[in-house]
Amino acid sequence: MDGNHLKKYQIWFITGSQSLYGEETLRRVEEHSRRIVDALNRSGEIALDLVWKPTVKTQAEITATLQAANLDSSCAGVVCWMHTFSPAKMWINGLKLLQKPMLHLNTQANRDIPWAAIDMDFMNLNQAAHGDREFGYLCTRLGLRRKVVNGYYDTPRVRAAIDVWGRVAAAWLDSQTMKVARIGDNMREVAVTEGNKVDAQIQFGYAVDGYGVGDVLKFISAVSDQQVGELVEEYFDLYTVPERSEATMKSIRAAARQEIGIRDFLETGGYTAFTTTFENLYGFDQLPGLAAQRLMADGYGFGAEGDWKTAALLRTMKLMAAGRRGGVSFMEDYTYHFEPGRERVLGAHMLEVCPSIASGRPSLEVHPLGIGGKADPARLVFSTPPGEAINATMVEFGSNFRLVVNELEIVAPDAPLPQLPVARTVWIPKPDLAEGARRWIEAGGAHHSVNAPALTTEFMEDYARMAGVELILIR
Ligand code: MN
């Protein structure tokens, strides 16, 4: 998923002041805030464009600006900065109405105190050190969830903090209108993939719609042989296909037909995330593994076994990561390596791991699944490059949602895995497997997660705050 997916979202930059300073000071407040917005945009380090808004000086201006932010469909969030003092009672009405995420930027137009030249004019203009505290007091008193960032605006650390928050705000706005297609129901008897879809929509905005397998089969049967042929050519361009026997090619063609049909079904319905389950495949000739892998790579959320919470979280994290290095994938803790001092996890799934996390060129192969009683499915097989990553899971306890995040280090497998016909990744949870797994399990974290080499914990902290869910951080 490239960075262009974020281009339709903007951040409003709102500068607070008050009328009593007089025209000259207010002119300079405007000049400074415009300069800050220009510098942040020109840096190229913030995925979303910042839009300068006229300085707000009265309760009426504040309320009108924040209401406009609520209604603007491209405004993902607002950055607020009190260049001068801006008495916070003026902000009460507006902030009570604000529905977009906020980043409170506690910065200053000048980096250094001009020790030799500083006078009372300078002191009356550059007041964020106390102006932002008055504002912060009120935000806290109102219980407003926001990200507070302190520092000179023209530094990589501050720009990175705004970039992360802006990406999360865009993903949060996307979540408000997201539609998840649940193709088939839940894997029978499984607990963690169930949940209350009404509560989820209230909390996260997304809707989960159930479909019978036949609703999708209609789209798959409408796919022409020519479309299938073209897509198989694309597979040959993108992947190594080590075996091309008649039986293998038949399975690959069937997988291509599934991909085109499912993609058409999702596009027609406006869905950006979906689930399947191998227990509801009536009429499917194979589990749609390759389709799930390739749709994930294009930014769709996916959850296996009916796991709509992970599908939605994956879509959200895909958008946060748009254009960043490293991928984001559906994942499952599969099996352990308990060699003393070298404890680690092998993560995989039956088939559905996203090739955005692959190292090198994936191999397109057909093998028996050993479960579900269907034809041998096509799948992309690959390993992943070493590096830092996170695993995240959203779980529901009836009355509340909880986000569990574990930092981890992806490592190379100890040896080639010639007999393992699925995509896989190996990681060491932080602080180590024993402690990481214990805390994940005690927190009720699911066996499914979103594995994200492209993201850091900071994204999930911003997300949990925006969504108003509990965050358990393991690192
Ligand atoms: Mn699973």
Side-chain angles (χ1 to χ4, degrees):
M1 203 178 193
D2 66 40
N4 288 330
H5 284 91
L6 296 170
K7 282 296 163 213
K8 64 174 174 175
Y9 302 104
Q10 297 172 334
I11 297 167
W12 286 18
F13 191 98
I14 300 169
T15 308
S17 188
Q18 60 181 330
S19 302
L20 63 78
Y21 292 111
E23 267 179 39
E24 174 55 17
T25 298
L26 288 170
R27 190 189 59 74
R28 299 191 66 191
V29 166
E30 171 171 340
E31 181 190 320
H32 288 165
S33 62
R34 280 183 184 277
R35 189 202 304 157
I36 290 174
V37 169
D38 286 347
L40 292 173
N41 282 333
R42 273 202 320 268
S43 73
E45 292 168 29
I46 300 174
L48 274 62
D49 283 335
L50 285 100
V51 179
W52 181 86
K53 292 289 163 184
T55 311
V56 289
K57 308 173 296 294
T58 63
Q59 175 176 307
E61 289 172 1
I62 290 164
T63 304
T65 301
L66 295 181
Q67 281 280 52
N70 287 339
L71 293 174
D72 188 295
S73 59
S74 60
C75 173
V78 296
V79 169
C80 292
W81 172 51
M82 306 303 121
H83 186 342
T84 63
F85 201 73
S86 181
K89 281 158 79 174
M90 298 192 304
W91 286 84
I92 292 174
N93 296 43
L95 290 179
K96 278 171 65 186
L97 296 169
L98 181 64
Q99 291 166 341
K100 294 288 170 76
M102 184 208 290
L103 183 148
H104 179 193
L105 183 60
N106 178 214
T107 191
Q108 202 161 264
N110 59 301
R111 192 190 71 176
D112 299 342
I113 292 174
W115 301 105
I118 188 167
D119 56 14
M120 280 318 291
D121 285 345
F122 184 97
M123 295 282 274
N124 283 331
L125 179 61
N126 297 284
Q127 300 184 326
H130 63 279
D132 276 327
R133 284 168 211 263
E134 163 75 355
F135 180 74
Y137 161 74
L138 184 79
C139 291
T140 298
R141 179 152 180 178
L142 291 174
L144 201 139
R145 304 191 301 263
R146 78 285 189 194
K147 182 177 194 176
V148 180
V149 177
N150 167 276
Y152 186 54
Y153 68 91
D154 200 13
T155 53
R157 177 182 62 82
V158 170
R159 289 193 292 264
I162 297 172
D163 177 55
V164 168
W165 170 86
R167 287 168 169 278
V168 176
W172 178 244
L173 190 55
D174 177 77
S175 179
Q176 305 314 305
T177 54
M178 188 199 309
K179 290 167 67 183
V180 183
R182 201 182 198 210
I183 302 167
D185 197 71
N186 196 59
M187 179 179 166
R188 290 186 275 278
E189 314 282 10
V190 176
V192 76
T193 47
E194 292 280 14
N196 189 320
K197 303 184 191 79
V198 178
D199 282 344
Q201 191 163 352
I202 292 168
Q203 190 95 40
F204 305 107
Y206 63 73
V208 183
D209 297 340
Y211 282 94
V213 178
D215 296 316
V216 185
L217 277 176
K218 264 191 310 200
F219 285 82
I220 294 174
S221 7
V223 175
S224 72
D225 290 344
Q226 191 193 335
Q227 287 174 290
V228 170
E230 284 166 9
L231 187 55
V232 170
E233 283 306 311
E234 188 182 326
Y235 293 169
F236 285 149
D237 285 345
L238 291 171
Y239 316 120
T240 303
V241 185
E243 205 215 299
R244 303 190 185 191
S245 68
E246 185 46 43
T248 297
M249 287 314 301
K250 184 176 175 226
S251 175
I252 289 175
R253 279 193 296 271
R257 190 176 297 278
Q258 283 184 335
E259 177 187 332
I260 298 163
I262 295 172
R263 191 184 292 272
D264 193 15
F265 164 79
L266 296 172
E267 280 175 6
T268 302
Y271 292 97
T272 51
F274 70 108
T275 71
T276 59
T277 171
F278 67 92
E279 287 185 328
N280 295 142
L281 289 179
Y282 186 85
F284 277 68
D285 42 32
Q286 59 178 271
L287 178 66
L290 180 61
Q293 290 182 297
R294 285 180 41 87
L295 286 160
M296 270 192 271
D298 287 340
Y300 284 91
F302 171 78
E305 291 113 48
D307 188 350
W308 50 271
K309 290 191 293 299
T310 301
L313 182 63
L314 177 55
R315 161 67 186 182
T316 293
M317 291 172 68
K318 285 265 182 198
L319 204 51
M320 291 178 196
R324 284 174 60 89
R325 278 169 51 88
V328 182
S329 178
F330 180 70
M331 189 53 67
E332 181 167 288
D333 292 76
Y334 224 100
T335 198
Y336 288 144
H337 181 72
F338 272 144
E339 180 187 347
R342 301 187 69 258
E343 294 87 351
R344 54 205 61 204
V345 183
L346 187 144
H349 203 257
M350 286 194 299
L351 304 174
E352 309 94 337
V353 178
C354 177
S356 67
I357 64 169
S359 60
R361 188 177 163 95
S363 177
L364 175 54
E365 302 175 20
V366 175
H367 301 278
L369 193 58
I371 190 168
K374 293 284 171 180
D376 299 352
R379 80 288 304 272
L380 298 171
V381 180
F382 54 84
S383 293
T384 63
E388 303 283 307
I390 55 170
N391 275 356
T393 177
M394 185 71 74
V395 283
E396 196 224 298
F397 298 102
S399 55
N400 65 295
F401 290 91
R402 170 182 286 176
L403 180 64
V404 184
V405 175
N406 192 184
E407 294 182 359
L408 46 95
E409 185 193 350
I410 294 170
V411 296
D414 288 2
L417 301 144
Q419 301 299 316
L420 186 66
V422 291
R424 63 280 176 155
T425 179
V426 179
W427 69 78
I428 304 171
K430 291 185 181 175
D432 55 39
L433 175 56
E435 183 67 6
R438 179 185 69 78
R439 285 159 65 184
W440 182 282
I441 290 168
E442 284 184 356
H447 58 284
H448 286 168
S449 59
V450 177
N451 174 261
L455 298 174
T456 61
T457 295
E458 186 181 359
F459 285 85
M460 306 318 291
E461 289 173 322
D462 287 2
Y463 176 69
R465 201 183 296 114
M466 265 176 221
V469 296
E470 180 188 12
L471 172 67
I472 305 281
L473 198 50
I474 305 168
R475 54 181 166 182

